[in-house]
Amino acid sequence: MAGRAQPSGPAGSGGGAPGLLPLLLLLLSAAAIIPRGDGQNLVTEDVTVVEGDVATISCRVKNSDDSVIQLLNPNRQTIYFRDFRPLKDSRFQLVNFSNSELRVSLTNVSISDEGRYFCQLYTDPPQEIYTTITVLVPPRNLVIDIQKETAVEGEEIELNCTAMASRPATTIRWFKGNKELTGKSEVEQWSDMYTVTSQLLLKVGREDDGVPVICLVDHPAVKDLQTQRYLEVMYKPQVRVSQNYPLQGLTREGEPLELTCTAFGKPQPTDMRWLRVDDEMPQHVVVSGSNLLISNLNKTDNGTYRCEASNAVGKSHADYMLFVYDPPTTIPPPTTTTTTTTTIPTTITDTTATTEPAVHGFTQLPNSAEELDYGDLSDSRAGEEGVIRSVDHAVVGGVVAVVVFAMLCLLIILGRYFARHKGTYFTHEAKGADDAADADTAIINAEGGQNNSEEKKEYFI
């Protein structure tokens, strides 16, 4: 058996006694090489290594009693016997040797080194255990091929990612940005190597322009191996119309209007124009490149204005609906002066006459105009109504006060009058007739008698 120690020295010749000594030496040497060792165990582990790296094989003995350890290759050739290397392969180097361990390193590992390696212990009976070296080969190359370098939005393109000459076969994963996609893989085996190709069908849009498509490899021999390609997608213009003036509020009659058209696309739009939908463009409208200007709005300008832009992919547009509103109506500020009763109807009539035309014109506006101006107009009318109510209350209070004052004066006058005229009153013809028995006698006895009847007068105060 290779690697087993052989006896050396003369075999002996001549008589029997002299030949016994070499035989005795041989037996003693064999006893030293193959000792008995009950209860001894060999321990080792499998080794996985990437091609080109270093593999370390360890043969360990539990409960060692100085038995001989040797390491053999898959072809049963002795690599190391104790600390001696019979195999002429300098890639094998002794790392550690003791009575309990034989540790050997193998540098620059290749596929041909893969297989079973045997640890042997010279006991009675001999013990043997094997360890397996597995060699991993990372992909030699990782490439993404795109069916079309430049795609148009809405198209479906084909991408292929190939991982060549790996062992074991790789797993390919696809990502678009941070989103993982699903591809279809095929595996081809060449000798001990595997080539994997994954196909991805992707429908692209304008949002995919400039986004990376990543091909990522999952393989035990390599980490973070990936390659990527950036998508190039052509798309028709995106058009937007913005109002530069007036910045806020309504477009009113007599005021200017300025619009700007912006367009983005790939390739960048080169043709841009303004038109009026279902009508001719007014003559007083000024178009300068992407800008549209109306210096003096009037009701005839009402309509839909469209900005169109086009490139090699297609044409797009954006619309602006113009509605010209009436000029703003100025509402006089409400008065808070208290007026007399005779002037109140005039104040109410004037306020109503000023407010009614603005409300009438306002009700004919669209909903957007009502929502924009209704709050200001309602606040003005609410203020005027509050002033009118306060004036009404003041007038009513004044009238009540005057009436109460007049009644108090009348009561005072009547009281004074009745107080002055309280008591008994006598007429002049009754003088001298107090003691008369009857009326006729009183008349006869009255002072002056009948002769003075013409001079009698009554006075009332």
Side-chain angles (χ1 to χ4, degrees), residues 19 22 48 81 108 136 138 146-147 169 176 200 227 232 279 300 320 323 386 405 407 419 422:
T48 301
F81 179 82
N108 194 20
L136 305 177
I146 299 182
Q147 181 184 15
K176 185 182 73 172
L200 176 67
T227 184
E232 186 173 355
D279 204 345
T300 61
Y320 176 86
F323 188 90
F405 180 74
M407 293 181 65
K422 184 177 181 182

Side-chain angles (χ1 to χ4, degrees), residues 18-37:
L20 293 176
L21 181 60
L23 180 60
L24 180 61
L25 294 174
L26 179 62
L27 292 175
L28 292 175
S29 176
I33 295 175
I34 310 177
R36 299 179 183 273

Side-chain angles (χ1 to χ4, degrees), residues 77-222:
Q77 297 173 329
T78 301
I79 300 174
Y80 266 92
F81 179 82
R82 292 182 180 268
D83 56 351
F84 175 70
R85 176 168 57 87
L87 189 65
K88 304 303 179 182
D89 189 343
S90 61
R91 294 183 305 145
F92 290 96
Q93 296 293 327
L94 183 64
V95 178
N96 183 44
F97 169 73
S98 66
N99 292 333
S100 61
E101 183 183 31
L102 175 63
R103 188 187 306 171
V104 178
S105 66
L106 173 61
T107 59
N108 194 20
V109 178
S110 64
I111 293 294
S112 61
D113 296 323
E114 193 173 69
R116 290 182 177 181
Y117 289 75
F118 300 92
C119 295
Q120 288 185 347
L121 183 64
Y122 278 61
T123 60
D124 187 15
Q127 297 184 36
E128 182 178 280
I129 191 172
Y130 66 87
T131 177
T132 302
I133 292 182
T134 303
V135 180
L136 305 177
V137 180
R140 293 284 189 267
N141 198 7
L142 190 64
V143 180
I144 293 181
D145 292 325
I146 299 182
Q147 181 184 15
K148 296 179 66 175
E149 293 293 333
T150 302
V152 179
E153 64 175 339
E155 283 187 341
E156 186 177 66
I157 61 174
E158 178 182 328
L159 298 93
N160 291 281
C161 182
T162 303
M164 301 178 61
S166 65
R167 180 175 180 175
T170 62
T171 300
I172 295 179
R173 300 167 63 190
W174 288 97
F175 292 86
K176 185 182 73 172
N178 295 325
K179 182 181 179 181
E180 185 169 2
L181 307 176
T182 302
K184 183 180 180 181
S185 297
E186 293 183 358
V187 180
E188 295 182 8
Q189 182 176 2
W190 296 348
S191 183
D192 294 331
M193 300 296 182
Y194 299 87
T195 296
V196 181
T197 301
S198 181
Q199 181 188 71
L200 176 67
L201 298 177
L202 180 63
K203 186 175 183 180
V204 296
R206 65 181 60 193
E207 67 278 1
D208 296 324
D209 183 53
V211 175
V213 175
I214 302 170
C215 174
L216 177 67
V217 167
D218 278 343
H219 193 273
V222 65

